[in-house]
Structure formats: C-alpha cells, structure tokens
C-alpha cells in the first residue's frame, strides 16, 4: 500500500484531496476483490479435512467449510463458537479494542453421521463429580495432584478430594492412567446421567399435544383435513432414543375456536370422546386418564379421531378464535400429568374472541421512525406472564401461523420464543413447505425442561445472555425445550486480570429431560488463550460469530431504544474496532488507507447487511408482522444460520453439465454478477429464488421446466418438476444440499428477468443499494472509512 501511495504521489502530483479520493477508490477495489475469496480460501485450506480440537485457543474452520470434527479435549465448533479465541488479559484492553467477548452456544447441535455422538457417563447414585466450591463438573481441565487422590479445580482453583470409586493412579506425566477411557477426562463434550436431586418433577417421558384451530376459514380451506391426514402418518415417526425400539412420547389432541374441545383417546374406547370447555377465562383440563396416550396402544382410536375432526366441525360458522387459553390449557394438561412437553398449535387469525389474551390490530405505520416504533415489537396483553408460566412448567410452544392479514406476531410469537419453540409463518401457503416443516419438527431430537448454566475460570464471567430464552435470575438460562437449531449467545466481561498461562476456560452445563424421560446433564468445555497483545485478539476473531452477537444484541435493544440509536451504536462499534486495529496493530499507513484485519475482511459487508435487514430498516413497505417474525427467528439462530440469513448464498447454475455432486462456488450478492444468459439460485435460510436471465439457453429451460422457451415458464410454480435429465437431477441435488440442516423449509420462487417478482429478489442482493434505501457495500465502506479517520484524528 505504501508503494501504491508513493506511485500515485509521484505520477499524479494532484491536490491531496483528489489523491485521497483516487486512492480510496483503489483501496476499495482491492478490498472488493479480496472479499469474495475469504470463504473459498477457507474451504480450500480446511475443507474435507479432520479438524481436531486438541489445542487451546485455535480458530476453527468457518461455518461454510465442510470438515470432520474430532473432539480431543475442547468442544466442537458445532457446539460453541467464539467472537475471538484469544481474550485480552485486562478490562482496559478489552475496552480499547471494543471487540465483544462472546460465545455462541448451540448445546444440541446436530452432529453428522461420520462424527462420534456424545458419550453418556453414569456414576450411579453418586452422580456427577463436581467442584465443592464453584460446582463446575469434572472435565479435561482439572489438574490431579497428590498421586491422584485430589484434584485442583481449573475454574476456581479449589482443591477437592477424589471420591474413592473414581480414584486412579497417575503416570510419569502426572496424567491419570485411565485418561483416554473416561469421556469426562479426555473430551470437550459429554453427558452425565443425573440423580434424583436434579429433578424438580418426576422424570417422565415428555408429551406432544396437537392443538388445531377449527374456525370457519381453516375448515373451508381444507387446512384442518390436511393437518389431520398428515398426523396419521407422522405419529409413527415420533422421536426416540437411539437404543429404544419405540418412542416413549405421549400424544394428546385439542380442537378450538371460541371454546376448547378435549379428546379422550384411551386405547380401551371403541370411539374417541369429546369434552368441551366453554369457560375460557379459567381454563381447566376436563380429563386426565385418556388424554395423553401412547400412540402405539391407542392407534385405532387416534386415527378414528383424526378422521372425525374435519367432519365434526364441517358446518361451523365460528370465525372468531381464542389463543392464550389454548396455551394455558396445554400447559395445565402437562402440569397435571407431571410431564414436560411441546404444544403444536396451528392457528390462522388474530385472536379477537372475548377471552384472556384477546388482541387488537395495532399495526400503525405512523409509528415508524419515531420513538414509539419499539412498541410494535413489544407484546400486548398478558403474554409475558403466560410465557413465564410455560417455562416454569416445561411447556414448549410451537406455532404454525397461516395469516391472511395482520396477526400481531410480536405478541403471539413471544410464548414460542421464550419457551424454546419454533415459529413458522406461511404468508402464501404452500402445502409442501408446511408438511416438510411439520415432519422435520416432530422428528427433531431435543431436550425438555432444560436449565443452562455457564461457568468460567477466574478473571471473567458471563454477564449477558441473548437468545430465544427466559431468565428468572442473572445466571440460569431456562428453556422449556431446546433442539438442535437453537443457540444462546453469551457475553463475557472481566472482573479481574486474566492469566496468559492458564487461559480463559468456559464450561456450559445443560440439565434436561431426554426423550425417554431420563434426567441428564450435557457438558461442553472450551479453553481460550489470553494475551496482552491487541494483535493476538484480532488475529483470532471470527466474523460470523461477531455478526451473530451484533444481530442479537441489536434485535434485543430495539425493544427499548429507537432504531436510529441502535443503528448508530452498530456503526460506532464497527468503526471503533477497526480504528483500534489500524492504530495499534497495522504498520504505519496513510490516513486515507482503510486497513482491515485478515479475520475481519468480511465484517463491513456483513455489518451493512445487518443494518439493511428488515428489522432495522423500518420501512412502511415491510409488514410489521414480517419484521417481528424475522426478529424472533434471529434471536434463536446459531452462527451458520445468521451467516446465511444476512449474506445469502448466490450460486450460478449455468452450466449444470459437470458430473460431480459438488455445489458450484458461490458468487457475490450483487446485480453485476448476474447475466442475461445465465440462471442463478439465491438462498437465505427462509426463501429460495431461481433467477432466470432473459437469454437463458432453451436447453436449460427444457431440462428444468419441460417447456420450450423462456416465455412458457410460469412464475406461479413453487417447485420444479421431477425430470429424468442431468440438468434437473443436478439442480435438485443442489437444492437438497442447501436445504439440509436448515430449520425452515425454504420457499422456492421462480423469478424471470425484468418481470414484477424481480423486485422481491433484488432486495436480497445485499451488496447493492437497497430498494428500501440501505447503502451499497461500497458506500458503506466509504462511510465507515470516514468514521475511522475521524476517530483517529
């Protein structure tokens, strides 16, 4: 860069300001070239390899890189990713760098078949071994002393006796001779079987309660029949433990409109029985025996019921619905049965019937960009208290919404968010997408009635928690349920100096009930380095985790602060981090030079995407419910999901002739990357777009759509036909690869160049200026560059 500066000043001895502008342009050009390469470089360096977690503070491959992870003493990055893998030694240093010190913890993350599942450790009635003082669980960081009779806790330095049953001799290195035989001594992640003193209610297998809105619109549209027909096949696929032959989960059924209909499906009955609860102000459960049943035993009665529900309500004229009493009823049923569980609620309108939780339409565009805009994201009514009760009773709420107008997602979705459930919203209802989501959700492996505690070694502590979670106190994260897609982002602050030799240790423990009804504790341990050099902190940053943290902290802040304030804070923080790097870690450079740490090359583009997101944009064209929906989804996301959500994947799919199964290399999300003769696929985790250039080859059109020309392609279609040709098979394979492991089924839209739906597609080309007024990537770089220059001058 110094050479470039010298070359310009000699060859073009113009005014300094013009020279700055010229050089700035060149810097941006070089930056943009580099930007594209970050993900591909990581794939080339680490893709397809084994990544062993045997070194403290090593930076893992990016979330976009496919590799095999081998647990050798620190938790897999599938479970924990950090914003930086080297913490500053002091709080003064942390304040100077302004890099958030945080971990994104996804305790139940899915593990691919070629990686080892977690070992289950059972110490019988003795229970897990824990430090007497700080209660940290036995892990690879503990130091055994006095010939193995005692150990020093790595978290609080307390000396503890080793229980007699756990004693083992040490080798010449001071390591126990059974080190590799015990998961809790050699692995970063494992589980303990918990003893009875870890149970606040009898450890029974959980229950699923299906609660169907049978109001006029749902009956007439055929939605109720569709749900009932699908449940008949899905109940055979209820999740179970690996070693179990059948699922231990109980099932129950409720239909509702203005009142509640409970069904008795006891196996001894010839026909199901219905009981109606009309008092929705004080909901009670009219039956215990016969409501929550083993599906295998009650199969014929349940199938009878699912056939009968659409007929029972076929003549209904009831268009008003209740909502809060439905959740209350499900929670009371679980409470009475002394079980944790999950409610599957299928709902399609604003609950306007006279009952607790009644909602009114408050979708007021005049509030946008005012101090009162935050009220649009806050719940109305008593939904917060209801959510709190659900968490206390281990009742997780899954919500499937089928709106045709405003539904107040901010209020209705709150219980889902706090209880670890998932919110699904189908604006333009697609049967296949809904059924796919329902199938995936019912079969998810998960834990119920969970409490998570994060412990740290001395010198720092967990201070803030962000996620789809509820906290009754400052340390315990309570989740009615936790599944493979949910992540909690934890921020840490110094309370003393850290030690470079011992590093910074984090232990996450999740106490939960398994699908078979066993109480367990899932442990994840990770060790980070500490340094007094700022360069070390920047060198080990992970941008994807940083963006997850910034998104969640911003989306939490909009409940109490104006959007403009939140956006300004994000800009300010970005400028501070980069200015600190330039001042302290980069070699002396010209004032006009924008210098980014290697690990933060993609930070500006991601930060710009976050600032332009529908939640922070505050534009009248974006429905309030859509913004509330996106806000709640992001609060629960792990690192891989936020990465894709904020910077969508854009793939060229022309030509599709290559025979291997690899997904083509991604390109930058910008209109200038599209070509008239090409076809491109864009995915962001919620939606997929297949964009077709006006001059795309007839061969490709025929191969994908089985029609002769561009003009014959219908943009109404939401799925591709199954055709027996290489084009079709390759694209279907790519779609499956992208969709796999994503929580929501991505809705496919066909977009033809220069036709109306292209407007919707363009808002996902995040490097361009947004149709809603957000800055292009280059404009954002100019802006952030100015901010940095001001801070440094």
């Amino acid at each position: 860069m110094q050479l470039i500066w010298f070359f310009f000043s000699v060859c073009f001895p113009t005014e300094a300001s013009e020279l700055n502008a010229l050089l700035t342009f060149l810097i941006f050009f070089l930056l943009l070239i580099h930007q594209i390469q970050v993900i591909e470089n990581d794939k080339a360096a680490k893709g397809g390899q084994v990544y062993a977690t045997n070194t403290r503070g090593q930076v893992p491959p990016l979330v976009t890189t496919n590799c095999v992870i081998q647990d050798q003493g620190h938790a897999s990055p599938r479970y924990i990713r950090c914003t930086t893998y080297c913490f500053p030694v002091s709080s003064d240093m942390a304040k100077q760098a302004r890099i958030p010190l945080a971990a994104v913890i996804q305790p139940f993350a899915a593990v691919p078949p070629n990686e080892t599942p977690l070992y289950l450790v059972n110490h019988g009635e003795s229970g897990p071994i824990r430090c007497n003082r700080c209660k940290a669980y036995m892990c690879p960081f503990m130091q055994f002393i006095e010939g193995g009779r005692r150990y020093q806790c790595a978290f609080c330095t307390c000396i503890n006796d080793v229980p007699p049953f756990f004693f083992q001799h040490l080798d010449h290195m001071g390591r126990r001779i059974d080190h590799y035989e015990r998961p809790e001594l050699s692995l970063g992640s494992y589980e303990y079987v918990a003893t009875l003193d870890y149970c606040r209610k009898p450890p029974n297998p959980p229950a699923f309660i299906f609660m169907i809105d049978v109001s006029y619109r749902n009956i007439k549209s055929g939605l109720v029949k569709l749900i009932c027909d699908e449940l008949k096949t899905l109940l055979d696929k209820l999740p179970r433990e690996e070693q179990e032959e059948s699922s231990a989960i109980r099932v129950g059924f409720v239909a509702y409109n203005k009142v509640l209909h409970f069904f008795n499906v006891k196996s001894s009955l010839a026909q199901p029985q219905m009981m109606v609860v009309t008092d929705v102000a004080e909901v009670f459960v009219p039956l215990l025996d016969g409501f929550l049943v083993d599906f295998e035993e009650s199969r014929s009665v349940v199938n009878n019921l699912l056939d009968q529900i659409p007929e029972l309500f076929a003549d209904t004229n009831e268009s008003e619905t209740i909502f809060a009493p439905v959740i209350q009823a499900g929670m009371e049923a679980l409470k009475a049965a002394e079980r944790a569980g999950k409610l599957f609620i299928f709902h399609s309108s604003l609950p306007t019937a006279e009952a607790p939780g009644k909602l009114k339409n408050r979708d007021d565009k005049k509030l946008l960009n005012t101090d009162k805009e935050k009220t649009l994201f806050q719940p109305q009514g008593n939904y917060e208290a209801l959510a709190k009760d659900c968490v206390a009773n281990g009742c997780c709420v899954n919500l499937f919404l089928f709106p045709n107008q405003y539904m107040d997602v901010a209020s209705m979705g709150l219980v889902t968010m706090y209880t670890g459930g998932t919110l699904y919203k189908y604006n333009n209802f697609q049967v296949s997408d809904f059924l796919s989501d329902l199938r995936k959700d019912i079969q998810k492996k998960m834990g119920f009635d969970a409490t998570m505690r994060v412990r740290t070694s001395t010198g720092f502590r967990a201070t803030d928690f962000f996620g789809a979670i509820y906290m009754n106190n400052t340390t315990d994260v309570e989740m009615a349920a936790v599944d493979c897609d949910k992540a909690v982002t934890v921020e840490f602050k110094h309370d003393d100096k850290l030690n470079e030799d011992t590093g910074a240790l984090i232990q996450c423990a999740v106490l939960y009930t398994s699908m078979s009804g066993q109480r367990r504790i899932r442990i994840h341990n990770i060790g980070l380095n500490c340094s007094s050099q700022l360069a070390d902190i920047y060198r080990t940053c992970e941008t994807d985790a940083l963006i997850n943290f910034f998104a969640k902290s911003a989306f939490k802040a909009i409940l109490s602060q104006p959007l403009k304030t939140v956006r300004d804070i994000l800009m300010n923080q970005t400028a501070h981090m980069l200015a600190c790097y330039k001042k302290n870690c980069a070699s002396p450079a010209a004032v006009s030079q924008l210098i980014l740490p290697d690990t933060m090359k993609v930070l500006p583009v991601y930060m710009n995407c976050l600032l332009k997101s529908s939640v922070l944009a505050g534009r009248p064209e974006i429905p309030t419910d859509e913004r509330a929906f996106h806000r709640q989804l992001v609060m629960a996301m792990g690192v891989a999901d936020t990465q894709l959500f904020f910077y969508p994947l854009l793939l060229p799919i022309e030509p599709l002739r290559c025979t291997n199964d690899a997904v083509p290399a991604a390109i930058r999300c910008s209109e200038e990357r599209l070509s008239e003769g090409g076809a491109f696929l864009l995915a962001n985790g919620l939606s997929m777009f297949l964009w077709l250039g006006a001059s795309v080859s007839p061969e490709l059109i025929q191969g994908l759509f089985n029609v002769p020309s561009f003009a014959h392609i219908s943009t109404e279609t939401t799925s591709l036909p199954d055709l027996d040709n290489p084009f079709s098979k390759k694209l279907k394979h790519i779609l499956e690869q992208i969709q796999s492991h994503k929580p929501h089924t991505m809705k496919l839209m066909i977009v033809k160049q220069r036709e109306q739906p292209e407007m919707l597609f363009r808002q996902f080309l995040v490097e361009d200026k947004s149709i809603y007024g957000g800055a292009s990537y280059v404009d954002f770089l100019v802006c952030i560059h100015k901010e940095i220059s001001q801070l440094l001058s």
Side-chain angles (χ1 to χ4, degrees):
M1 274 299 177
Q2 267 73 17
L3 275 174
I4 293 168
W5 176 257
F6 175 74
F7 169 78
F8 263 103
S9 52
V10 171
C11 299
F12 305 102
T14 55
E15 292 293 316
S17 60
E18 288 178 43
L19 188 56
N20 281 355
L22 206 50
L23 187 60
T24 300
F25 173 76
L26 185 63
I27 290 163
F28 289 151
F29 179 67
L30 291 170
L31 265 172
L32 293 173
I33 290 174
H34 194 104
Q35 204 81 21
I36 217 172
Q37 290 301 324
V38 172
I39 289 172
E40 291 307 317
N41 288 354
D42 198 70
K43 282 181 183 172
K46 301 169 184 172
Q49 297 181 15
V50 172
Y51 170 77
T53 68
N54 54 357
T55 311
R56 188 183 79 193
Q58 66 180 338
V59 182
L62 295 178
V63 285
T64 41
T65 299
N66 236 334
C67 61
V68 178
I69 294 160
Q70 204 173 70
D71 185 341
Q72 291 189 3
H74 296 269
S76 157
R78 300 193 197 285
Y79 298 122
I80 302 182
R81 282 184 176 269
C82 299
T83 51
T84 175
Y85 291 83
C86 181
F87 277 14
V89 291
S90 67
S91 60
D92 288 346
M93 201 176 149
K95 283 185 191 121
Q96 191 183 353
R98 294 280 286 268
I99 294 170
L101 307 177
V104 186
I105 303 173
Q106 202 163 334
F108 280 73
V111 173
N114 58 352
E115 290 177 20
T116 315
L118 296 194
Y119 286 97
L120 185 61
V121 179
N122 190 349
H123 287 325
E125 287 180 17
S126 309
I129 297 168
R130 307 177 70 175
C131 169
N132 291 328
R133 185 196 290 159
C134 73
K135 300 300 180 199
Y137 292 87
M138 177 56 68
C139 69
F141 307 144
M142 304 301 192
Q143 188 67 47
F144 288 90
I145 53 175
E146 296 178 24
R149 283 183 293 279
R150 306 179 89 187
Y151 71 92
Q152 182 171 27
C153 174
F155 295 88
C156 70
T157 69
C158 174
I159 306 290
N160 296 271
D161 290 330
V162 171
F165 80 89
F166 195 70
F167 172 77
Q168 189 52 272
H169 294 286
L170 308 184
D171 63 16
H172 64 288
M173 306 266 292
R175 179 183 271 184
R176 284 172 56 124
I177 56 177
D178 63 350
H179 175 84
Y180 290 108
E181 291 155 35
R182 290 195 176 271
E184 68 271 41
L185 299 182
S186 55
L187 299 177
S189 301
Y190 43 88
E191 292 196 316
Y192 279 116
V193 174
T195 48
L196 279 174
D197 44 336
Y198 287 88
C199 307
R200 60 180 172 188
K201 58 165 79 85
N204 288 319
F208 286 177
I209 303 177
F210 299 93
M211 313 185 88
I212 305 169
D213 168 359
V214 290
S215 56
Y216 176 82
R217 182 173 157 237
N218 284 5
I219 292 287
K220 288 292 172 277
S221 68
L223 179 64
V224 173
K225 185 173 184 341
L226 177 76
I227 293 165
C228 292
D229 287 348
E230 185 62 20
L231 287 178
K232 280 189 284 190
T233 59
L234 280 182
L235 292 174
D236 270 323
K237 298 176 180 147
L238 292 171
R240 55 186 170 82
E241 300 293 345
E242 297 297 334
Q243 65 280 6
E244 307 276 335
E245 282 188 17
S246 61
S247 175
I249 290 171
R250 297 287 186 268
V251 295
F253 303 87
V254 175
Y256 68 92
N257 36 46
K258 269 170 90 166
V259 296
L260 293 152
H261 307 80
F262 286 79
F263 296 99
N264 183 345
V265 282
K266 198 173 178 179
S267 58
S268 55
L269 296 174
Q271 285 288 329
Q273 296 172 347
M274 181 166 83
M275 298 183 185
V276 182
V277 175
T278 53
D279 182 2
V280 291
E282 295 288 331
V283 174
F284 65 95
V285 182
L287 77 157
L288 281 181
D289 188 30
F291 179 61
L292 295 177
V293 298
D294 180 315
F295 174 64
E296 285 298 321
E297 291 173 8
S298 295
R299 178 188 294 272
S300 61
V301 195
V302 168
N303 284 340
N304 258 344
L305 171 66
L306 294 171
D307 286 334
Q308 288 173 28
I309 286 176
E311 293 164 16
L312 279 171
F313 301 96
D315 300 325
T316 186
N317 290 316
E318 192 51 75
S319 58
E320 284 195 321
T321 56
I322 54 174
F323 183 66
V326 179
I327 297 174
Q328 188 80 35
M331 181 187 74
E332 295 293 346
L334 291 172
K335 193 170 160 185
E338 297 189 313
R339 295 175 190 274
K342 184 148 93 164
L343 313 182
F344 290 79
I345 303 180
F346 306 91
H347 191 91
S348 68
S349 61
L350 191 71
T352 53
E354 276 309 322
K358 175 184 175 178
L359 296 175
K360 61 179 190 292
N361 190 329
R362 52 170 184 152
D363 188 13
D364 186 356
K365 300 284 186 219
K366 291 199 288 292
L367 299 182
L368 298 184
N369 299 310
T370 71
D371 280 0
K372 289 188 174 174
E373 183 170 5
K374 57 178 174 273
T375 60
L376 297 174
F377 296 103
Q378 295 165 354
Q380 50 175 322
N382 59 351
Y383 283 94
E384 197 141 350
L386 179 59
K388 188 176 165 182
D389 285 349
C390 283
V391 174
N393 289 289
C395 172
C396 168
V397 179
N398 256 20
L399 188 51
F400 295 80
L401 291 179
F402 309 91
N404 63 350
Q405 57 194 31
Y406 174 77
M407 285 184 78
D408 197 353
V409 169
S411 299
M412 296 180 73
L414 184 84
V415 186
T416 298
M417 187 166 99
Y418 274 1
T419 60
T422 308
L423 179 60
Y424 300 91
K425 181 167 163 282
Y426 305 95
N427 294 352
N428 302 309
F429 181 52
Q430 292 304 324
V431 171
S432 59
D433 294 351
F434 161 59
L435 295 182
S436 170
D437 283 338
L438 182 57
R439 279 172 207 145
K440 264 196 297 194
D441 204 299
I442 282 181
Q443 292 170 44
K444 266 182 192 172
K445 300 277 199 297
M446 59 196 305
F448 294 87
D449 200 15
T451 304
M452 176 171 126
R453 174 73 71 93
V454 176
R455 293 180 174 84
T456 57
S457 52
T458 49
F460 75 114
R461 61 193 170 86
T463 54
D464 282 296
F465 297 82
F466 305 92
I469 51 171
Y470 175 74
M471 294 189 74
N472 212 9
N473 54 40
T474 54
T475 53
D476 293 325
V477 176
E478 295 185 52
M479 297 171 280
V482 53
D483 64 41
C484 55
D485 302 311
K486 303 295 185 292
V488 180
T489 302
V490 185
E491 187 177 15
F492 303 99
K493 296 262 167 68
H494 289 75
D495 50 18
D496 204 348
K497 264 195 125 108
L498 294 175
N499 185 318
E500 291 190 49
D501 296 331
T502 53
L505 308 178
I506 299 168
Q507 182 179 82
C508 165
V510 183
L511 172 66
Y512 75 98
T513 302
S514 74
M515 292 174 300
S516 60
Q518 189 178 47
R519 207 72 175 136
R520 294 180 185 173
I521 304 151
R522 180 170 286 216
I523 312 280
H524 298 297
N525 306 287
I526 190 168
L528 309 175
N529 288 333
C530 297
S531 176
S532 54
Q533 302 299 313
L534 279 168
D536 293 335
I537 318 305
Y538 283 95
R539 196 180 297 119
T540 57
C541 280
E542 187 183 322
T543 301
D544 294 329
L546 276 168
I547 285 298
N548 180 286
F549 170 84
F550 283 130
K552 288 185 182 181
S553 56
F555 286 10
K556 183 178 181 180
I558 64 169
L559 294 178
S560 55
Q561 291 174 295
L563 258 73
K564 185 181 183 309
T565 307
V566 175
R567 289 194 296 263
D568 289 347
I569 290 168
L570 289 172
M571 272 301 270
N572 189 283
Q573 180 109 8
T574 308
H576 267 280
M577 287 192 299
L578 299 177
C580 175
Y581 177 78
K582 184 173 176 178
K583 182 180 175 183
N584 299 289
C585 309
S587 52
V591 178
S592 64
Q593 208 168 314
L594 177 61
I595 297 176
L596 303 180
D598 276 347
T599 55
M600 290 188 182
K601 284 280 190 272
V602 291
L603 181 68
V605 72
Y606 285 177
M607 186 57 82
N608 190 34
C609 295
L610 170 57
L611 289 164
K612 289 197 292 189
S613 67
S614 62
V615 179
L616 295 182
R619 302 284 299 187
E621 302 90 337
I622 309 169
T624 306
D625 270 352
E626 198 64 11
R627 296 174 69 201
F629 174 54
H630 286 177
R631 180 187 167 270
Q632 294 193 4
L633 287 189
V634 169
M635 290 308 286
M637 281 182 183
V639 176
D641 290 332
T642 47
Q643 190 276 333
L644 183 66
F645 184 75
F646 290 112
Y647 195 95
L649 183 70
L650 183 61
L651 303 175
I653 58 161
E654 164 73 319
L656 282 173
R657 291 178 183 80
C658 51
T659 50
N660 68 2
D661 276 350
V663 172
I667 57 173
R668 298 220 328 261
C669 276
S670 171
E671 190 182 352
E672 65 185 42
R673 302 285 149 170
L674 307 177
S675 61
E676 289 219 352
F680 298 82
L681 185 71
L682 184 143
N684 78 337
L686 286 184
S687 309
M688 271 191 193
F689 298 88
L690 180 56
W691 183 90
L692 302 159
S695 310
V696 70
S697 76
E699 189 186 2
L700 185 76
I701 291 169
Q702 185 69 47
L704 294 182
F705 299 97
N706 205 20
V707 296
S709 72
F710 185 77
H712 288 83
I713 299 169
S714 164
T715 53
E716 298 296 305
T717 182
T718 55
S719 61
L720 296 169
D722 282 313
L723 302 172
D724 189 13
N725 68 66
F727 290 123
S728 183
K729 285 179 176 170
K730 181 74 195 282
L731 183 55
K732 289 263 175 166
H733 174 73
I734 291 170
L735 293 176
E736 280 165 22
Q737 289 279 92
I738 296 169
Q739 182 60 67
S740 64
H741 313 308
K742 289 293 162 238
H744 289 72
T745 303
M746 290 181 246
K747 183 184 174 188
L748 181 67
M749 286 182 69
I750 310 298
V751 178
K752 290 160 78 173
Q753 190 178 10
R754 292 192 277 277
E755 289 193 8
Q756 184 56 38
E758 205 180 18
M759 290 291 283
L760 184 60
F761 167 74
R762 279 178 194 279
Q763 74 188 50
F764 295 100
L765 299 175
V766 288
E767 291 201 20
D768 300 339
K769 190 174 166 72
S770 165
I771 55 171
Y772 299 134
S776 72
Y777 176 37
V778 173
D779 290 344
F780 181 76
L781 279 176
V782 172
C783 189
I784 208 78
H785 186 203
K786 276 185 194 157
E787 293 258 339
I788 292 168
S789 301
Q790 279 174 355
L791 285 171
L792 292 176
S793 60

